[in-house]
Amino acid sequence: MIAQVIINLSLDKAFDYEIPEKLEKQILPGMKVLVPFGRSTRDGYVVDIVAESDFPSLKEIIDVNTSHLPIPVPLMEIGKWMAEYYCCSKEKAIISLLPGAVRSGKVKTKFFTYYKVSDNDTAKKYIEENGKRNKAKARVLQTLLHYLELSSTQLQKHADTSKSVINLLVKDGLVVEEKREVQRDPFEGSQIIKDTPLKPTEEQLVALEQIYEVIDRQNETCDLCKKKEPHTVLLHGVTGSGKTEVYLQAITKILEQGKETIVLVPEISLTPQTVQRFRARFGNLVSVLHSSLSDGERFDEWTKIAKGEVKITVGARSALFAPFKNLGLIIVDEEHENSYKQDESPRYNARDVAVMRGYKEKATVILGSATPSFESYYNALNKKYILSTLKTRVDDGFMPKIKVIDMKQERALNSEGGVFSKELIYAIRDRLASREQVILFLNKRGFAKQMQCEECGFIATCATCARDEDHPVSFTYHRERETLSCHSCGLIIAAYANCPECQSSKIRYPGLGTEKIERLAKGIFQGARVKRMDSDTMTKMSLYEDTLDEFKQGKIDILIGTQMIAKGLHFPKVTLVGIMYADMSLFSPDFRAWEKTFQLVTQVAGRAGRGEIKGEVILQTYSPYNPAILCAKEHDFEAFYEEDIEVREQLLYPPMARLIVVHFRGENEPQLLQFIETFNKQIAPYLNDDIMVSPASPSPNSKIKGKFRYMTMYRGENITNLRQALRHYALHLKKSKNIDVYIDVDAINLM
Ligand code: ADP
Ligand code: ZN
Ligand code: ZN
């Protein structure tokens, strides 16, 4: 037999190796193996086992590597599919199925050594005969006779002795040691407070019935019946409508069938509170895969899943590759979130791969959101997914009233009205007086968008990110740290005290950032406790949790923040949400700009009025008549979809067509353009008439860190051939070392 093995060399190639007889029974696809390669040896993964090879005289596999359990075969299939679909090399895709901690082989299973006496009578006899002469040894034996077995540290403590005495007893054969596997526990010390299922509301009941029907259908054996019916449910439920309770009851059904569940949540929502809701219902059947686990914990969580010791895992994007073998359900919460798309190779969207994995493994998929992505909603309208809707909040809470403030008028009427409108100031004062809480949202960190000299007009810009004089990239000014930072490349420099051009000290800071809002708020609302929450202040997960706790306990009156505060948080005392400048995301050069604005406004507004008291939202904007703002004001997703889908239809943008973006990057612009030309010549034959091409042009961020960036966009319904050609040439066309080319299929980030 012959094993096809991938080795991590980015060659996009599997190598054939003979399986030696002694390993024939052991080797399976998904296994890690040691193979000879050139003059050395390497680790690789078996992707397939075949009977024949095109190559004569193959080398033999040296050994299997048992540092981790094999990747389950159906999951390997997903890896192969991703390599093709997302146009990356085979090894990139396969390797991304494993957490780094598992793949590295550096983390080892953790063992504890336990001790017991080899034989009770011999031990007693030894104590009788030698107890006086050898007190230390006798004490150990006595202790073990009492406790039966103890770990090394326990034994040393209880017998008041040292490791060397124990070792001597082992050598004498009086004590035996036994190594046993133990698991690192990310939940260590945290208690589970069990909860019981809530009685579903009428709407939840309807949704659950739809979901159960899909679940039951997955067990049908007739492939023909199954193919026709969707296996994916889009759960469109307004914020606070009880989507999580629906997930929990669906999981219960899956558990009853002896199957497993993956729950994906965006990284930013993966807080202990989120995991707690699942643990409260399912206790130790829940495992967790998130970025603040130690390598050891991650290794053990992964192993528990692979062994089937847990039935549910809750995690961010890559938890989709949890090595369950009997998967019944995948839940993707906040399915519209961009963070499900990985922005490095493989550039997969976990939501879409979830649908694919569900299909291949006969598992039901639930996509949940208050603001579904257009892609998912389109699929639901076209009956590819089943649409399930929760229109009302569970606690009879009303949706918060959204009041739109036209900032152009505000500015005309009120000379100081640049940042805080009068309405907003009054409303905040009102809440402060009645001891309620306020959230202020702005999607831009830092103090100001720019640092500008009033005398000569100089603007501080990032030198490595400006393509030419006409395309400057201005630094964001951070007052707290007195720095200028480039939000394109991450460069940070000390802020100028004076203008570097004319030495003037008259500096302006136009444009809004959360830091400026914080400073202004502290000035206007004297005595209020104000705190800011963005990636500048929340540098650790623990800080984030502490701040949320403080807020929950009422120790903060006004919480100011970026997207970080927009997600799924539940604060009953928040009765006012201020959206400082809703236009921030409206005018980016992206066909999804309106959609993103609608989602953001809805998410942020959803934080208001989650308790007894009715919530209010004040939304400040310079575009009060933009459909995204108008529809968000009315909480009307359907109306917004109908409005915006027309534009997509006219311009052939997703979901009306597939979108592939090819990115080209290089330091030398003429050389880069030359390469693009060669590349496009190869691709030309694969372009059908119905494919729309936006020829290579500078990306909106046209230079970052000294590298010029170009992109080509392809849109069309039938792009499979094109995709294959792009994949082939991007991976295999000869290019000079300092040029990068990569393909982004179903692209989301258009920068
Ligand atoms: P969503 O995820 O849709 O925003 P949640 O699942 O967080 O909503 O539910 C909002 C609140 O309603 C939670 O406090 C939850 O415990 C409660 N809840 C959900 N379903 C029910 C129910 N059937 N009966 C009573 N309370 C419920
Ligand atoms: Zn100047
Ligand atoms: Zn830069």
Side-chain angles (χ1 to χ4, degrees):
M1 293 304 264
I2 288 148
Q4 301 186 319
V5 176
I6 53 142
I7 296 162
N8 192 14
L9 287 170
S10 283
L11 295 169
D12 189 37
K13 207 173 145 189
F15 296 89
D16 290 356
Y17 287 92
E18 191 105 36
I19 303 178
E21 232 174 69
K22 64 173 174 138
L23 295 178
E24 210 147 76
K25 289 225 169 64
Q26 277 182 59
I27 289 191
L28 298 167
M31 222 168 234
K32 195 171 182 180
V33 288
L34 184 70
V35 293
F37 195 82
R39 262 179 267 159
S40 64
T41 61
R42 282 179 185 265
D43 280 329
Y45 286 92
V46 178
V47 281
D48 268 314
I49 294 177
V50 293
E52 279 171 40
S53 168
D54 297 339
F55 302 94
S57 69
L58 298 176
K59 290 182 181 167
E60 278 191 352
I61 288 183
I62 301 169
D63 207 351
V64 292
N65 180 328
T66 52
S67 68
H68 66 77
L69 293 166
I71 305 168
V73 173
L75 194 52
M76 288 292 284
E77 293 304 315
I78 289 292
K80 290 185 210 165
W81 174 82
M82 283 206 302
E84 289 302 321
Y85 187 81
Y86 291 106
C87 298
C88 72
S89 69
K90 287 194 183 73
E91 48 279 2
K92 269 263 165 65
I94 299 291
I95 276 167
S96 69
L97 301 174
L98 296 169
V102 173
R103 194 197 321 141
S104 72
K106 288 196 188 111
V107 182
K108 294 280 178 307
T109 311
K110 196 164 156 189
F111 289 101
F112 257 127
T113 314
Y114 290 88
Y115 295 92
K116 55 186 171 192
V117 296
S118 50
D119 178 76
N120 281 1
D121 293 337
T122 326
K124 281 178 192 156
K125 202 164 148 224
Y126 182 90
I127 297 169
E128 263 169 38
E129 289 172 4
N130 305 296
K132 292 246 159 59
R133 254 183 305 131
N134 209 327
K135 285 188 183 131
K137 280 188 178 174
R139 249 192 342 264
V140 172
L141 293 174
Q142 199 73 60
T143 310
L144 285 177
L145 283 169
H146 178 68
Y147 286 99
L148 299 182
E149 73 167 30
L150 286 173
S151 74
S152 174
T153 30
Q154 288 167 332
L155 180 54
Q156 287 177 54
K157 192 172 136 225
H158 289 301
D160 185 22
T161 187
S162 67
K163 191 78 204 292
S164 58
V165 176
I166 302 171
N167 287 345
L168 281 175
L169 282 164
V170 173
K171 223 166 142 192
D172 294 345
L174 285 161
V175 169
V176 286
E177 60 178 4
E178 191 188 326
K179 282 197 192 309
R180 219 174 292 155
E181 224 176 276
V182 286
Q183 272 161 350
R184 286 156 278 228
D185 180 9
F187 300 116
E188 210 170 332
S190 84
Q191 262 185 341
I192 307 178
I193 303 161
K194 264 277 192 205
D195 78 352
T196 43
L198 300 166
K199 185 170 173 292
T201 62
E202 254 166 60
E203 280 189 332
Q204 283 173 326
L205 207 57
V206 173
L208 279 166
E209 272 162 11
Q210 287 175 299
I211 292 166
Y212 293 158
E213 200 186 317
V214 179
I215 290 174
D216 287 336
R217 202 160 51 228
Q218 302 313 307
N219 298 324
E220 265 176 36
T221 39
C222 171
D223 269 346
L224 259 167
C225 306
K226 223 167 2 203
K227 271 210 175 97
K228 279 185 286 182
E229 299 291 337
H231 69 291
T232 302
V233 177
L234 175 62
L235 182 61
H236 174 203
V238 299
T239 51
S241 60
K243 292 186 288 295
T244 311
E245 187 61 33
V246 172
Y247 301 155
L248 291 168
Q249 302 203 13
I251 296 173
T252 302
K253 171 104 175 172
I254 295 293
L255 283 174
E256 284 165 10
Q257 300 186 347
K259 292 189 183 170
E260 295 140 356
T261 304
I262 296 173
V263 183
L264 298 186
V265 296
E267 179 79 47
I268 200 166
S269 320
L270 192 52
T271 57
Q273 290 90 318
T274 308
V275 179
Q276 203 55 36
R277 288 181 80 174
F278 291 89
R279 291 236 303 156
R281 194 68 54 92
F282 305 115
N284 290 329
L285 294 176
V286 179
S287 71
V288 59
L289 287 170
H290 70 65
S291 62
S292 49
L293 297 186
S294 70
D295 278 357
E297 286 170 342
R298 204 184 309 253
F299 180 88
D300 283 358
E301 291 296 288
W302 190 90
T303 308
K304 270 193 262 178
I305 295 167
K307 285 183 174 166
E309 291 172 4
V310 291
K311 297 290 174 197
I312 300 153
T313 194
V314 183
R317 184 173 59 218
S318 62
L320 175 62
F321 306 128
F324 283 124
K325 296 194 188 79
N326 195 10
L327 196 60
L329 177 64
I330 308 176
I331 294 165
V332 185
D333 192 29
E334 309 282 356
E335 64 87 28
H336 64 278
E337 272 287 321
N338 292 346
S339 62
Y340 283 123
K341 179 95 161 121
Q342 177 153 289
D343 57 11
E344 58 188 53
S345 182
R347 294 180 163 75
Y348 69 94
N349 189 324
R351 179 234 306 157
D352 301 334
V353 184
V355 172
M356 183 47 94
R357 185 167 182 195
Y359 177 73
K360 291 203 177 210
E361 297 184 29
K362 299 189 166 69
T364 301
V365 179
I366 304 176
L367 310 178
S369 175
T371 51
S373 63
F374 273 38
E375 284 80 354
S376 296
Y377 199 69
Y378 180 80
N379 281 334
L381 293 182
N382 286 295
K383 314 268 183 251
K384 275 196 185 164
Y385 300 166
I386 287 167
L387 182 61
S388 189
T389 316
L390 306 175
K391 283 192 158 62
T392 51
R393 285 190 163 181
V394 172
D395 45 9
D396 278 336
F398 292 101
M399 295 302 284
K401 189 172 160 26
I402 301 184
K403 185 158 204 175
V404 176
I405 308 284
D406 182 348
M407 291 304 277
K408 258 188 256 158
Q409 270 191 12
E410 181 72 23
R411 266 203 142 144
L413 293 174
N414 163 10
S415 58
E416 295 147 44
V419 179
F420 282 85
S421 61
K422 275 225 165 66
E423 286 259 7
L424 183 56
I425 293 178
Y426 291 145
I428 294 175
R429 291 221 166 106
D430 189 50
R431 302 309 140 114
L432 292 175
S434 50
R435 307 232 125 248
E436 292 161 25
Q437 289 175 307
V438 178
I439 285 179
L440 298 179
F441 171 81
L442 181 76
N443 204 9
K444 170 91 183 164
R445 67 197 165 87
F447 183 83
K449 235 168 137 174
Q450 286 186 348
M451 177 176 195
Q452 189 180 30
C453 170
E454 276 188 47
E455 300 277 341
C456 74
F458 166 84
I459 293 174
T461 59
C462 176
T464 54
C465 293
R467 189 155 65 92
D468 52 41
E469 280 176 9
D470 296 332
H471 298 86
V473 174
S474 53
F475 277 129
T476 300
Y477 173 61
H478 296 251
R479 171 159 284 173
E480 216 155 73
R481 300 182 190 160
E482 274 304 319
T483 55
L484 293 170
S485 80
C486 172
H487 287 193
S488 272
C489 71
L491 179 71
I492 297 176
I493 64 168
Y496 307 115
N498 294 331
C499 171
E501 294 285 316
C502 74
Q503 312 310 320
S504 161
S505 60
K506 282 194 187 153
I507 308 255
R508 273 175 12 101
Y509 300 101
L512 266 188
T514 43
E515 225 183 291
K516 193 188 267 181
I517 306 267
E518 181 189 16
R519 201 179 164 98
L520 290 170
K522 281 180 174 161
I524 302 173
F525 310 106
Q526 303 267 334
R529 294 161 300 175
V530 178
K531 188 133 186 184
R532 175 161 58 97
M533 191 159 180
D534 54 29
S535 56
D536 289 333
T537 54
M538 302 291 123
T539 43
K540 280 192 306 210
M541 190 68 171
S542 60
L543 280 172
Y544 176 73
E545 283 160 23
D546 293 348
T547 308
L548 291 182
D549 275 348
E550 269 176 62
F551 194 49
K552 211 161 221 170
Q553 291 164 20
K555 292 180 184 161
I556 299 169
D557 301 311
I558 304 177
L559 185 65
I560 296 168
T562 53
Q563 274 119 305
M564 235 180 223
I565 57 171
K567 307 294 177 219
L569 304 174
H570 198 75
F571 303 110
K573 291 200 77 177
V574 174
T575 54
L576 175 67
V577 168
I579 300 175
M580 302 307 295
Y581 180 42
D583 316 39
M584 203 72 128
S585 51
L586 217 43
F587 299 109
S588 69
D590 179 343
F591 68 93
R592 289 192 182 90
W594 290 10
E595 184 184 351
K596 283 178 188 160
T597 305
F598 180 87
Q599 289 169 352
L600 257 179
V601 170
T602 307
Q603 294 287 339
V604 179
R607 300 311 114 221
R610 307 267 301 207
E612 326 263 85
I613 318 163
K614 200 168 167 205
E616 187 187 9
V617 179
I618 292 186
L619 181 155
Q620 306 189 145
T621 177
Y622 288 88
S623 328
Y625 302 108
N626 182 286
I629 306 271
L630 283 176
C631 295
K633 176 179 187 299
E634 301 299 328
H635 306 286
D636 195 344
F637 174 80
E638 284 86 359
F640 174 64
Y641 178 85
E642 280 181 14
E643 182 88 31
D644 204 19
I645 199 79
E646 267 180 40
V647 183
R648 312 269 178 109
E649 221 159 1
Q650 280 159 14
L651 300 176
L652 205 65
Y653 273 119
M656 315 311 292
R658 311 312 290 251
L659 167 71
I660 300 181
V661 178
V662 185
H663 294 265
F664 302 93
R665 291 174 187 174
E667 280 171 20
N668 180 327
E669 199 171 20
Q671 194 189 40
L672 184 65
L673 290 170
Q674 183 67 52
F675 175 80
I676 295 172
E677 203 184 313
T678 316
F679 187 87
N680 286 345
K681 266 202 197 115
Q682 307 289 340
I683 297 303
Y686 301 92
L687 290 170
N688 314 337
D689 292 345
D690 53 353
I691 295 178
M692 257 176 83
V693 188
S694 318
S697 59
S699 314
N701 290 327
S702 54
K703 193 181 167 200
I704 292 182
K705 276 192 187 161
K707 278 195 174 173
F708 293 89
R709 297 150 70 99
Y710 279 77
M711 54 192 238
T712 310
M713 236 192 243
Y714 299 94
R715 280 167 284 163
E717 245 167 88
N718 200 341
I719 52 167
T720 310
N721 287 340
L722 170 67
R723 198 189 63 222
Q724 284 164 355
L726 289 170
R727 179 181 191 277
H728 177 81
Y729 290 109
L731 291 176
H732 301 290
L733 190 67
K734 229 180 145 66
K735 54 180 184 282
S736 56
K737 263 215 162 80
N738 46 22
I739 286 179
D740 304 325
V741 47
Y742 68 81
I743 317 288
D744 192 359
V745 177
D746 300 335
I748 284 185
N749 183 355
L750 302 182
M751 308 297 261

